[in-house]
Amino acid sequence: MEAVKKEHELIVSVSPHVRSEESVSRIMWTVNISLLPALIAGIYFFGPKAAYVTAISIISAVMSEWGVQKMTGRRSAIGDGSAVLTGLLLGMNLPATAPFYIPIIGSLVAIAVTKQLFGGLGFNVFNPALIGRAFVLITWPRAMTTWMEPTAAFVGLDAKTTATPLGLLKEEGLHKLLEVFGSKASLYTELFLGHRAGSLGETSAIALLIGAAFLLYKRYITWHIPLTFLGTVAVVAWVFGGKTPETGKFLLFAGDPILHLLSGGLILGAFFMATDYVTVPSVRAGQILFGVGCGLITMLIRLKGGYPEGVMFAILLMNCFTPIIDRNLKTKLFGKKKEKGK
Amino acid sequence: MSLATFKGGIHPPDRKELSAGSKITPAAPPDRVVIPLSQHTGAPAKAAVSIGDEVKKGQVIGAQEGFVSAAVHSSVSGKVVGIGDFPLAIGRMTTCVVIENNRQETWAELKEDPDYMSLSPEAIKEKVKAAGIVGMGGAAFPTSVKLSPPKEKPINTVILNGAECEPYLTSDYRMMLERPDEIIEGLKLLMKSLGVSRGFIGIENNKPDAVAKMKEAAKGASGIEVFALEVKYPQGAEKMLIKALTGREVPPRGLPMDVGVLVQNVGTALAVYEACRYGRPLIERVVSVTGEGIKEPKNLMVKIGTLVSHLIDECGGFKNGSSKVVSGGPMMGFAIYSLDVPVTKGTSGILVMSESEVVHAEDYEPCIRCGRCIDICPMGLMPSMLSVLSEVGHYEECKEYNLWDCFECGSCAYVCPSKRPIVQFIRLAKSMTKP
Ligand code: SF4
Ligand code: SF4
């Protein structure tokens, strides 16, 4: 009995003494994997260039993370997959034709400024990939809004430039879109599959939804933000997005929600960026508010703003409100009768 | 498929298979016992013996001091060889009476009562008090106090807690399997002492045989119902159990009696029965000694005051590089730093964790605001905020996030992907503030 005691140094720590298997790196790598279908679709439609842009973006993101952590003496965390995720998301938000310095600068801004300057993972206010994207969009507006036609790369000819569906809708109207795509049915089909101009990882709704379904199934994300985001976009698009075909005058309840849902960066944004834990509210009620806010701002920009697409700015703007939402929409204490919020 | 339960909670692997098959067997009597005079919530008992005194088994060695307190009895017959401060499993030092066991097992005179069911409510309370019974689920609150609620808080339901939601532990389970009838008798006595006609027994559904046994035993007992509960930690926490079985929510900082409920552990009911029927004081209890780090996991009937080291020996010693020993369950138990601490009335288990089971809590990361802890907190708190605020020293602000409503169940820390020691942060904030 004495021997038993002496042999053993007992570890003493505060309860609980068991922990779940979940870890930050497991979550991050799972999200990375869930984006693969959409990335593959992007490479399929836009060719090797898409892979090239994404690869540069990821490598620069990881190197920026590593560099900053070296300089600041912070514990190196590039293995946790979060820098890879930022790089991947940024890459997927760029046109496949983007010149090489765009993903490099974008990643640097995303990681060094947006994430590390605020204290690293967990402390950043804004979604790093989106700030990176916003920065390069403002700095190189031309390169960032020159879109190539999908699959052109495989045909081997010079890639023809074209406009995105949302761009066409904004500049020329629905009739032009229908002219380009043939019919409404084929417009929806092409949008659903991803056969359209746009950022290299945003076009294939089906591929993105497969990844999103996987994350929902794994409970790494919940429906609260994506559903309210998409729902708001659909409702606003239907109510306010319509025009009388002949006169082009504004017409209530005549918009096309499906077109709006499947275009732009909405699906990528709603499922993969408006769900970034760090920069969105963590209480469910607040998440619903966040989703609705994102939807409203997105549609405001799409219908009234100068840009054809508003998802990126909508999410970034709502990121600003996250701290306020979190402070004001608390959870309901067990046993407490009434409380504001929920 | 809709078993009664509460909102939130977690599903840790229950690991009960390690000791579930082990029948309750008496632990070998130790050479000496170290019996703390304070093993309950409230004032310590006052030593009623002196060094050199011969004591009998069941003799009072510590007298109840004040209302919220409990008497303490000798668990062996023998000689008092020391009275002094010794460490308890929870880390605090307390006065203990050390008794050398003469192995005669000579009982003090006990007053049996075959007609215990006709005892008056007052008489039952007296017997429970004299027997030094306290809640045996871990909190160790004196039962006699719970049986004397203030007039304005009438009790209408007694709930027996057989949830045993802590992983690994199987002591309540074995009691329900092996002594269901006595538990029911204990429940009847509790109901009678409060003049209550409704009694519920809640058992997590990972123990279907215990549910069946208790249902069988409860047959014909009027007003008593047995319920299977969803398997979810912390199903056995008082407030969650009451919510699951009655739908009532105990108000924040309130007590079960605020919603007319008394909750007792099944082991406590058994002790109540033994006190009323045989006049036996609470001097032994069932302890699960289990975990990957112990050779032969067992459920032992242990004399209060037996040292943990004795139980480890009894179970064949350590294996698998055991490196952490926990008094209680893995979610809320205390890691002990010495094996020379005594088993008390509230010790439901001794968990020996192997090297591979131990989580090294120093490697934690910043909160990534994933919201998991918020989703599962059974009290509806925001553990993430509590941990972050406490980490940066904003203790007072923690109160805005209902710091003092946390009962430290550990669910938040369990699910946290950043492995944040949330409970530790919460305790720190509590130690720096006043409720
Ligand atoms: S905050 Fe407290 S009550 Fe809530 S899960 Fe954590 S330990 Fe349990
Ligand atoms: S589970 Fe951990 S990382 Fe997630 S919100 Fe809670 S404290 Fe933060």
PDB file of all heavy atoms in Angstrom, chain A residues 54-85:
ATOM      1  N   THR A  54      -6.325  29.816 -56.263  1.00  0.00           N
ATOM      2  CA  THR A  54      -6.632  29.328 -54.918  1.00  0.00           C
ATOM      3  C   THR A  54      -5.366  28.884 -54.196  1.00  0.00           C
ATOM      4  O   THR A  54      -5.170  29.183 -53.012  1.00  0.00           O
ATOM      5  CB  THR A  54      -7.627  28.157 -54.987  1.00  0.00           C
ATOM      6  OG1 THR A  54      -8.686  28.512 -55.868  1.00  0.00           O
ATOM      7  CG2 THR A  54      -8.201  27.844 -53.624  1.00  0.00           C
ATOM      8  N   ALA A  55      -4.504  28.190 -54.922  1.00  0.00           N
ATOM      9  CA  ALA A  55      -3.274  27.704 -54.297  1.00  0.00           C
ATOM     10  C   ALA A  55      -2.423  28.878 -53.803  1.00  0.00           C
ATOM     11  O   ALA A  55      -1.931  28.865 -52.665  1.00  0.00           O
ATOM     12  CB  ALA A  55      -2.488  26.840 -55.276  1.00  0.00           C
ATOM     13  N   ILE A  56      -2.288  29.888 -54.636  1.00  0.00           N
ATOM     14  CA  ILE A  56      -1.494  31.055 -54.213  1.00  0.00           C
ATOM     15  C   ILE A  56      -2.117  31.672 -52.969  1.00  0.00           C
ATOM     16  O   ILE A  56      -1.436  32.041 -52.006  1.00  0.00           O
ATOM     17  CB  ILE A  56      -1.435  32.123 -55.329  1.00  0.00           C
ATOM     18  CG1 ILE A  56      -0.704  31.559 -56.544  1.00  0.00           C
ATOM     19  CG2 ILE A  56      -0.713  33.378 -54.829  1.00  0.00           C
ATOM     20  CD1 ILE A  56      -0.598  32.555 -57.675  1.00  0.00           C
ATOM     21  N   SER A  57      -3.419  31.763 -52.988  1.00  0.00           N
ATOM     22  CA  SER A  57      -4.123  32.372 -51.872  1.00  0.00           C
ATOM     23  C   SER A  57      -3.878  31.596 -50.570  1.00  0.00           C
ATOM     24  O   SER A  57      -3.571  32.185 -49.532  1.00  0.00           O
ATOM     25  CB  SER A  57      -5.618  32.418 -52.211  1.00  0.00           C
ATOM     26  OG  SER A  57      -6.321  33.030 -51.191  1.00  0.00           O
ATOM     27  N   ILE A  58      -3.990  30.282 -50.652  1.00  0.00           N
ATOM     28  CA  ILE A  58      -3.802  29.467 -49.437  1.00  0.00           C
ATOM     29  C   ILE A  58      -2.365  29.578 -48.938  1.00  0.00           C
ATOM     30  O   ILE A  58      -2.109  29.805 -47.751  1.00  0.00           O
ATOM     31  CB  ILE A  58      -4.162  27.985 -49.708  1.00  0.00           C
ATOM     32  CG1 ILE A  58      -5.664  27.864 -49.983  1.00  0.00           C
ATOM     33  CG2 ILE A  58      -3.761  27.107 -48.526  1.00  0.00           C
ATOM     34  CD1 ILE A  58      -6.105  26.488 -50.409  1.00  0.00           C
ATOM     35  N   ILE A  59      -1.427  29.439 -49.892  1.00  0.00           N
ATOM     36  CA  ILE A  59      -0.020  29.481 -49.477  1.00  0.00           C
ATOM     37  C   ILE A  59       0.316  30.834 -48.845  1.00  0.00           C
ATOM     38  O   ILE A  59       0.947  30.914 -47.792  1.00  0.00           O
ATOM     39  CB  ILE A  59       0.908  29.194 -50.679  1.00  0.00           C
ATOM     40  CG1 ILE A  59       0.720  27.726 -51.108  1.00  0.00           C
ATOM     41  CG2 ILE A  59       2.369  29.453 -50.317  1.00  0.00           C
ATOM     42  CD1 ILE A  59       1.329  27.387 -52.447  1.00  0.00           C
ATOM     43  N   SER A  60      -0.164  31.924 -49.460  1.00  0.00           N
ATOM     44  CA  SER A  60       0.150  33.233 -48.867  1.00  0.00           C
ATOM     45  C   SER A  60      -0.503  33.399 -47.507  1.00  0.00           C
ATOM     46  O   SER A  60       0.065  34.005 -46.609  1.00  0.00           O
ATOM     47  CB  SER A  60      -0.297  34.399 -49.745  1.00  0.00           C
ATOM     48  OG  SER A  60      -0.458  34.013 -51.060  1.00  0.00           O
ATOM     49  N   ALA A  61      -1.705  32.863 -47.364  1.00  0.00           N
ATOM     50  CA  ALA A  61      -2.377  32.988 -46.065  1.00  0.00           C
ATOM     51  C   ALA A  61      -1.583  32.268 -44.981  1.00  0.00           C
ATOM     52  O   ALA A  61      -1.343  32.800 -43.896  1.00  0.00           O
ATOM     53  CB  ALA A  61      -3.791  32.430 -46.144  1.00  0.00           C
ATOM     54  N   VAL A  62      -1.170  31.048 -45.295  1.00  0.00           N
ATOM     55  CA  VAL A  62      -0.430  30.266 -44.300  1.00  0.00           C
ATOM     56  C   VAL A  62       0.900  30.937 -43.988  1.00  0.00           C
ATOM     57  O   VAL A  62       1.306  31.036 -42.822  1.00  0.00           O
ATOM     58  CB  VAL A  62      -0.219  28.815 -44.791  1.00  0.00           C
ATOM     59  CG1 VAL A  62       0.715  28.064 -43.864  1.00  0.00           C
ATOM     60  CG2 VAL A  62      -1.561  28.111 -44.908  1.00  0.00           C
ATOM     61  N   MET A  63       1.557  31.447 -45.036  1.00  0.00           N
ATOM     62  CA  MET A  63       2.844  32.099 -44.784  1.00  0.00           C
ATOM     63  C   MET A  63       2.667  33.384 -43.975  1.00  0.00           C
ATOM     64  O   MET A  63       3.485  33.690 -43.101  1.00  0.00           O
ATOM     65  CB  MET A  63       3.572  32.370 -46.096  1.00  0.00           C
ATOM     66  CG  MET A  63       4.234  31.093 -46.591  1.00  0.00           C
ATOM     67  SD  MET A  63       5.029  31.223 -48.195  1.00  0.00           S
ATOM     68  CE  MET A  63       5.991  32.689 -48.009  1.00  0.00           C
ATOM     69  N   SER A  64       1.608  34.129 -44.259  1.00  0.00           N
ATOM     70  CA  SER A  64       1.361  35.348 -43.478  1.00  0.00           C
ATOM     71  C   SER A  64       1.146  34.983 -42.015  1.00  0.00           C
ATOM     72  O   SER A  64       1.695  35.625 -41.115  1.00  0.00           O
ATOM     73  CB  SER A  64       0.117  36.073 -43.986  1.00  0.00           C
ATOM     74  OG  SER A  64       0.187  36.288 -45.360  1.00  0.00           O
ATOM     75  N   GLU A  65       0.351  33.960 -41.793  1.00  0.00           N
ATOM     76  CA  GLU A  65       0.063  33.544 -40.418  1.00  0.00           C
ATOM     77  C   GLU A  65       1.357  33.160 -39.711  1.00  0.00           C
ATOM     78  O   GLU A  65       1.630  33.588 -38.592  1.00  0.00           O
ATOM     79  CB  GLU A  65      -0.904  32.350 -40.456  1.00  0.00           C
ATOM     80  CG  GLU A  65      -1.209  31.758 -39.088  1.00  0.00           C
ATOM     81  CD  GLU A  65      -2.617  32.059 -38.634  1.00  0.00           C
ATOM     82  OE1 GLU A  65      -3.158  33.090 -39.061  1.00  0.00           O
ATOM     83  OE2 GLU A  65      -3.164  31.269 -37.844  1.00  0.00           O
ATOM     84  N   TRP A  66       2.135  32.378 -40.411  1.00  0.00           N
ATOM     85  CA  TRP A  66       3.390  31.910 -39.836  1.00  0.00           C
ATOM     86  C   TRP A  66       4.307  33.098 -39.538  1.00  0.00           C
ATOM     87  O   TRP A  66       4.877  33.221 -38.460  1.00  0.00           O
ATOM     88  CB  TRP A  66       4.060  30.946 -40.816  1.00  0.00           C
ATOM     89  CG  TRP A  66       5.335  30.359 -40.301  1.00  0.00           C
ATOM     90  CD1 TRP A  66       5.468  29.312 -39.434  1.00  0.00           C
ATOM     91  CD2 TRP A  66       6.663  30.794 -40.628  1.00  0.00           C
ATOM     92  NE1 TRP A  66       6.789  29.068 -39.200  1.00  0.00           N
ATOM     93  CE2 TRP A  66       7.545  29.959 -39.921  1.00  0.00           C
ATOM     94  CE3 TRP A  66       7.178  31.798 -41.452  1.00  0.00           C
ATOM     95  CZ2 TRP A  66       8.928  30.103 -40.007  1.00  0.00           C
ATOM     96  CZ3 TRP A  66       8.560  31.941 -41.539  1.00  0.00           C
ATOM     97  CH2 TRP A  66       9.423  31.095 -40.822  1.00  0.00           C
ATOM     98  N   GLY A  67       4.404  33.990 -40.492  1.00  0.00           N
ATOM     99  CA  GLY A  67       5.275  35.153 -40.346  1.00  0.00           C
ATOM    100  C   GLY A  67       4.874  36.015 -39.165  1.00  0.00           C
ATOM    101  O   GLY A  67       5.708  36.375 -38.323  1.00  0.00           O
ATOM    102  N   VAL A  68       3.579  36.323 -39.093  1.00  0.00           N
ATOM    103  CA  VAL A  68       3.130  37.187 -38.001  1.00  0.00           C
ATOM    104  C   VAL A  68       3.352  36.507 -36.663  1.00  0.00           C
ATOM    105  O   VAL A  68       3.801  37.119 -35.692  1.00  0.00           O
ATOM    106  CB  VAL A  68       1.642  37.563 -38.175  1.00  0.00           C
ATOM    107  CG1 VAL A  68       1.166  38.366 -36.979  1.00  0.00           C
ATOM    108  CG2 VAL A  68       1.434  38.345 -39.452  1.00  0.00           C
ATOM    109  N   GLN A  69       3.064  35.223 -36.620  1.00  0.00           N
ATOM    110  CA  GLN A  69       3.233  34.537 -35.346  1.00  0.00           C
ATOM    111  C   GLN A  69       4.696  34.492 -34.933  1.00  0.00           C
ATOM    112  O   GLN A  69       5.017  34.569 -33.758  1.00  0.00           O
ATOM    113  CB  GLN A  69       2.616  33.135 -35.430  1.00  0.00           C
ATOM    114  CG  GLN A  69       1.106  33.220 -35.250  1.00  0.00           C
ATOM    115  CD  GLN A  69       0.384  31.943 -35.577  1.00  0.00           C
ATOM    116  OE1 GLN A  69       0.945  31.029 -36.170  1.00  0.00           O
ATOM    117  NE2 GLN A  69      -0.868  31.876 -35.208  1.00  0.00           N
ATOM    118  N   LYS A  70       5.577  34.370 -35.923  1.00  0.00           N
ATOM    119  CA  LYS A  70       7.013  34.408 -35.629  1.00  0.00           C
ATOM    120  C   LYS A  70       7.400  35.773 -35.081  1.00  0.00           C
ATOM    121  O   LYS A  70       8.090  35.881 -34.074  1.00  0.00           O
ATOM    122  CB  LYS A  70       7.822  34.134 -36.918  1.00  0.00           C
ATOM    123  CG  LYS A  70       8.255  32.688 -37.068  1.00  0.00           C
ATOM    124  CD  LYS A  70       9.668  32.459 -36.558  1.00  0.00           C
ATOM    125  CE  LYS A  70       9.773  31.286 -35.615  1.00  0.00           C
ATOM    126  NZ  LYS A  70       9.325  30.002 -36.017  1.00  0.00           N
ATOM    127  N   MET A  71       6.913  36.804 -35.747  1.00  0.00           N
ATOM    128  CA  MET A  71       7.309  38.159 -35.359  1.00  0.00           C
ATOM    129  C   MET A  71       6.781  38.537 -33.979  1.00  0.00           C
ATOM    130  O   MET A  71       7.446  39.208 -33.214  1.00  0.00           O
ATOM    131  CB  MET A  71       6.804  39.165 -36.390  1.00  0.00           C
ATOM    132  CG  MET A  71       7.698  39.189 -37.619  1.00  0.00           C
ATOM    133  SD  MET A  71       7.323  40.516 -38.766  1.00  0.00           S
ATOM    134  CE  MET A  71       5.579  40.545 -38.901  1.00  0.00           C
ATOM    135  N   THR A  72       5.572  38.105 -33.690  1.00  0.00           N
ATOM    136  CA  THR A  72       4.967  38.525 -32.427  1.00  0.00           C
ATOM    137  C   THR A  72       5.254  37.530 -31.312  1.00  0.00           C
ATOM    138  O   THR A  72       4.902  37.770 -30.167  1.00  0.00           O
ATOM    139  CB  THR A  72       3.439  38.648 -32.558  1.00  0.00           C
ATOM    140  OG1 THR A  72       2.939  37.391 -33.010  1.00  0.00           O
ATOM    141  CG2 THR A  72       3.049  39.733 -33.527  1.00  0.00           C
ATOM    142  N   GLY A  73       5.868  36.409 -31.671  1.00  0.00           N
ATOM    143  CA  GLY A  73       6.176  35.415 -30.652  1.00  0.00           C
ATOM    144  C   GLY A  73       4.957  34.657 -30.171  1.00  0.00           C
ATOM    145  O   GLY A  73       4.990  33.959 -29.170  1.00  0.00           O
ATOM    146  N   ARG A  74       3.868  34.815 -30.885  1.00  0.00           N
ATOM    147  CA  ARG A  74       2.665  34.076 -30.522  1.00  0.00           C
ATOM    148  C   ARG A  74       2.842  32.607 -30.862  1.00  0.00           C
ATOM    149  O   ARG A  74       3.582  32.254 -31.775  1.00  0.00           O
ATOM    150  CB  ARG A  74       1.477  34.618 -31.313  1.00  0.00           C
ATOM    151  CG  ARG A  74       0.419  35.187 -30.398  1.00  0.00           C
ATOM    152  CD  ARG A  74      -0.711  35.776 -31.198  1.00  0.00           C
ATOM    153  NE  ARG A  74      -0.877  37.182 -30.902  1.00  0.00           N
ATOM    154  CZ  ARG A  74      -1.222  38.099 -31.786  1.00  0.00           C
ATOM    155  NH1 ARG A  74      -1.418  37.774 -33.037  1.00  0.00           N
ATOM    156  NH2 ARG A  74      -1.380  39.343 -31.425  1.00  0.00           N
ATOM    157  N   ARG A  75       2.142  31.767 -30.148  1.00  0.00           N
ATOM    158  CA  ARG A  75       2.245  30.340 -30.408  1.00  0.00           C
ATOM    159  C   ARG A  75       1.800  30.058 -31.838  1.00  0.00           C
ATOM    160  O   ARG A  75       0.790  30.569 -32.296  1.00  0.00           O
ATOM    161  CB  ARG A  75       1.335  29.579 -29.437  1.00  0.00           C
ATOM    162  CG  ARG A  75       1.562  28.107 -29.393  1.00  0.00           C
ATOM    163  CD  ARG A  75       1.062  27.563 -28.069  1.00  0.00           C
ATOM    164  NE  ARG A  75      -0.352  27.900 -27.875  1.00  0.00           N
ATOM    165  CZ  ARG A  75      -1.347  27.022 -28.024  1.00  0.00           C
ATOM    166  NH1 ARG A  75      -1.074  25.789 -28.357  1.00  0.00           N
ATOM    167  NH2 ARG A  75      -2.594  27.369 -27.821  1.00  0.00           N
ATOM    168  N   SER A  76       2.601  29.295 -32.541  1.00  0.00           N
ATOM    169  CA  SER A  76       2.281  29.016 -33.923  1.00  0.00           C
ATOM    170  C   SER A  76       1.059  28.115 -34.014  1.00  0.00           C
ATOM    171  O   SER A  76       0.968  27.105 -33.338  1.00  0.00           O
ATOM    172  CB  SER A  76       3.463  28.336 -34.605  1.00  0.00           C
ATOM    173  OG  SER A  76       3.051  27.848 -35.852  1.00  0.00           O
ATOM    174  N   ALA A  77       0.100  28.518 -34.818  1.00  0.00           N
ATOM    175  CA  ALA A  77      -1.127  27.740 -34.903  1.00  0.00           C
ATOM    176  C   ALA A  77      -1.512  27.475 -36.345  1.00  0.00           C
ATOM    177  O   ALA A  77      -2.669  27.349 -36.670  1.00  0.00           O
ATOM    178  CB  ALA A  77      -2.248  28.472 -34.172  1.00  0.00           C
ATOM    179  N   ILE A  78      -0.508  27.403 -37.242  1.00  0.00           N
ATOM    180  CA  ILE A  78      -0.882  27.211 -38.640  1.00  0.00           C
ATOM    181  C   ILE A  78      -1.432  25.806 -38.860  1.00  0.00           C
ATOM    182  O   ILE A  78      -2.129  25.564 -39.818  1.00  0.00           O
ATOM    183  CB  ILE A  78       0.287  27.483 -39.620  1.00  0.00           C
ATOM    184  CG1 ILE A  78       1.529  26.697 -39.206  1.00  0.00           C
ATOM    185  CG2 ILE A  78       0.595  28.955 -39.706  1.00  0.00           C
ATOM    186  CD1 ILE A  78       2.638  26.804 -40.215  1.00  0.00           C
ATOM    187  N   GLY A  79      -1.148  24.902 -37.933  1.00  0.00           N
ATOM    188  CA  GLY A  79      -1.677  23.551 -38.071  1.00  0.00           C
ATOM    189  C   GLY A  79      -3.167  23.465 -37.806  1.00  0.00           C
ATOM    190  O   GLY A  79      -3.804  22.480 -38.140  1.00  0.00           O
ATOM    191  N   ASP A  80      -3.736  24.503 -37.199  1.00  0.00           N
ATOM    192  CA  ASP A  80      -5.144  24.403 -36.840  1.00  0.00           C
ATOM    193  C   ASP A  80      -6.084  24.580 -38.033  1.00  0.00           C
ATOM    194  O   ASP A  80      -7.293  24.456 -37.907  1.00  0.00           O
ATOM    195  CB  ASP A  80      -5.506  25.359 -35.690  1.00  0.00           C
ATOM    196  CG  ASP A  80      -5.533  26.831 -36.100  1.00  0.00           C
ATOM    197  OD1 ASP A  80      -5.466  27.111 -37.313  1.00  0.00           O
ATOM    198  OD2 ASP A  80      -5.608  27.681 -35.209  1.00  0.00           O
ATOM    199  N   GLY A  81      -5.521  24.867 -39.190  1.00  0.00           N
ATOM    200  CA  GLY A  81      -6.349  24.881 -40.390  1.00  0.00           C
ATOM    201  C   GLY A  81      -7.113  26.160 -40.610  1.00  0.00           C
ATOM    202  O   GLY A  81      -7.784  26.309 -41.628  1.00  0.00           O
ATOM    203  N   SER A  82      -7.011  27.099 -39.683  1.00  0.00           N
ATOM    204  CA  SER A  82      -7.815  28.298 -39.857  1.00  0.00           C
ATOM    205  C   SER A  82      -7.216  29.232 -40.904  1.00  0.00           C
ATOM    206  O   SER A  82      -7.939  29.890 -41.640  1.00  0.00           O
ATOM    207  CB  SER A  82      -8.013  29.021 -38.521  1.00  0.00           C
ATOM    208  OG  SER A  82      -6.826  29.637 -38.118  1.00  0.00           O
ATOM    209  N   ALA A  83      -5.883  29.272 -41.000  1.00  0.00           N
ATOM    210  CA  ALA A  83      -5.260  30.103 -42.038  1.00  0.00           C
ATOM    211  C   ALA A  83      -5.532  29.492 -43.410  1.00  0.00           C
ATOM    212  O   ALA A  83      -5.810  30.197 -44.384  1.00  0.00           O
ATOM    213  CB  ALA A  83      -3.758  30.218 -41.792  1.00  0.00           C
ATOM    214  N   VAL A  84      -5.470  28.176 -43.481  1.00  0.00           N
ATOM    215  CA  VAL A  84      -5.785  27.503 -44.737  1.00  0.00           C
ATOM    216  C   VAL A  84      -7.213  27.856 -45.156  1.00  0.00           C
ATOM    217  O   VAL A  84      -7.489  28.168 -46.316  1.00  0.00           O
ATOM    218  CB  VAL A  84      -5.638  25.967 -44.593  1.00  0.00           C
ATOM    219  CG1 VAL A  84      -6.124  25.256 -45.848  1.00  0.00           C
ATOM    220  CG2 VAL A  84      -4.194  25.606 -44.293  1.00  0.00           C
ATOM    221  N   LEU A  85      -8.115  27.848 -44.176  1.00  0.00           N
ATOM    222  CA  LEU A  85      -9.513  28.148 -44.474  1.00  0.00           C
ATOM    223  C   LEU A  85      -9.674  29.576 -44.991  1.00  0.00           C
ATOM    224  O   LEU A  85     -10.376  29.810 -45.976  1.00  0.00           O
ATOM    225  CB  LEU A  85     -10.373  27.925 -43.225  1.00  0.00           C
ATOM    226  CG  LEU A  85     -11.871  28.189 -43.397  1.00  0.00           C
ATOM    227  CD1 LEU A  85     -12.453  27.317 -44.501  1.00  0.00           C
ATOM    228  CD2 LEU A  85     -12.608  27.942 -42.089  1.00  0.00           C
TER     229      LEU A  85
END
